[in-house]
Amino acid sequence: MTNKQKDDLFYVCALIEYVARYSKNRRGVIVHALGEEGIKKQLYDAEVNHCLSFEQVCDELMEWYQIPFGDFDPSKDSPYAIPGYLDIGRLYAIMIEDCAEPGEEVKELIHLFSSFLSDAISDFKTDLYYQNPSYLECSYKAGYLLE
């Protein structure tokens, strides 16, 4: 991947996290609403959209893709400081870069955001987000959290 493609991937991952938090949906709900073509479009538009506020792009995505509000709020009652959506976006982008076959980044993005690990990372009552990214990647590939 080029540096521009990595930046665009990071932006889109952070945007998905932002939309999920704002709409109170699981991250998989957002990627499935966008679909593969919608994610490709967001990657294509990232260079322009990153100049806009996340709030504006979020509103546009929710309207265009008819993303409803949900009731998934993993930050509620968390004893820990909640990592920012940019921090989580960076984690996802790194994992996708490391796990995806070249040219398969969009499919890996959908798979990762729809996986058990996405829900586990989003459970801010745990410290999973702060674990070593290599551990998270190995757990993702194994299909369960390793001991």
Side-chain angles (χ1 to χ4, degrees):
M1 292 181 81
T2 67
N3 284 337
K4 181 194 173 310
Q5 290 170 321
K6 289 178 182 182
D7 288 344
D8 293 346
L9 179 62
F10 164 54
Y11 172 81
V12 170
C13 289
L15 180 62
I16 291 167
E17 179 67 20
Y18 185 91
V19 173
R21 289 181 186 198
Y22 179 78
S23 67
K24 297 194 183 323
N25 280 300
R26 295 180 187 278
R27 283 67 188 147
V29 170
I30 306 306
V31 297
H32 287 292
L34 296 174
E36 191 171 331
E37 292 306 311
I39 292 167
K40 287 179 182 177
K41 180 176 181 354
Q42 294 313 307
L43 287 166
Y44 179 81
D45 293 346
E47 191 171 13
V48 172
N49 281 349
H50 84 267
C51 297
L52 304 172
S53 71
F54 273 89
E55 294 87 353
Q56 179 181 349
V57 179
C58 173
D59 287 343
E60 291 171 1
L61 285 181
M62 289 185 66
E63 182 179 341
W64 183 261
Y65 293 97
Q66 299 181 352
I67 299 170
F69 283 94
D71 60 4
F72 182 68
D73 187 5
S75 63
K76 186 177 179 185
D77 302 324
S78 174
Y80 303 105
I82 306 302
Y85 61 91
L86 294 173
D87 297 323
I88 298 287
R90 174 63 64 205
L91 173 64
Y92 280 114
I94 290 168
M95 290 181 64
I96 293 164
E97 289 171 29
D98 290 348
C99 295
E101 295 295 324
E104 297 296 318
E105 291 83 7
V106 172
K107 288 181 181 174
E108 195 70 47
L109 182 151
I110 292 169
H111 189 262
L112 178 57
F113 274 101
S114 302
S115 74
F116 78 95
L117 189 59
S118 182
D119 283 347
I121 290 170
S122 296
D123 182 0
F124 298 126
K125 293 179 185 123
T126 72
D127 65 348
L128 186 64
Y129 163 76
Y130 297 102
Q131 299 301 314
N132 185 309
S134 295
Y135 164 75
L136 296 175
E137 288 175 15
C138 289
S139 293
Y140 168 64
K141 289 176 183 177
Y144 59 92
L145 289 176
L146 300 172
E147 298 288 325

